[in-house]
Amino acid sequence: MNYLEIKGKVIGPINESRYSNGRNVVNFRIMTEEDGRKYVFPVYATREEAEFFVDCIHENDIVHIAGSLRSGKRKVKNVTLIKDGKEKDLWLSKLEIKATRITLIRNENNAA
């Protein structure tokens, strides 16, 4: 079973867009700390979760996310490698969280 829960701070920009079928998608990053080390994970949400995120949550807020891990590869634009005399595209591994539930724990923008 691929399920995780994570609590952390929303960092960086929150990007909202739509798939070609019209469904909302939101991409953002979450930072968490463990044993004094900081870890940053990319997160995306679709459908109702995306609408909730855009309406209620902002950068620096503390959130709890439930979802699943997704892995894959992405092609790096405008970069090629030469291996054995042949040009090859550069692909990097990616790991991201697909949020199925997002809960606002603390709104840092309105905190006293």
Side-chain angles (χ1 to χ4, degrees), residues 49-71:
E49 294 80 16
E51 292 172 19
F52 168 77
F53 195 88
V54 168
D55 292 340
C56 301
I57 298 176
H58 306 90
E59 188 173 354
N60 297 320
D61 287 348
I62 307 299
V63 296
H64 175 267
I65 294 174
S68 59
L69 283 177
R70 302 291 171 109
S71 64

Side-chain angles (χ1 to χ4, degrees), residues 93-105:
S93 297
K94 69 176 183 175
L95 180 68
E96 59 190 357
I97 299 169
K98 180 178 191 271
T100 54
R101 189 176 72 236
I102 302 169
T103 305
L104 177 62
I105 295 174

Side-chain angles (χ1 to χ4, degrees), residues 83-96:
K83 183 175 181 182
D84 300 327
K86 296 180 182 177
E87 285 191 11
K88 297 186 176 215
D89 293 326
L90 176 61
W91 292 83
L92 296 178
S93 297
K94 69 176 183 175
L95 180 68
E96 59 190 357

Side-chain angles (χ1 to χ4, degrees), residues 1-18:
M1 181 172 189
N2 181 5
Y3 178 80
L4 69 84
E5 292 187 29
I6 190 168
K7 178 179 110 175
K9 179 188 227 180
V10 176
I11 62 170
I14 299 166
N15 301 307
E16 180 183 17
S17 59
R18 292 188 183 276

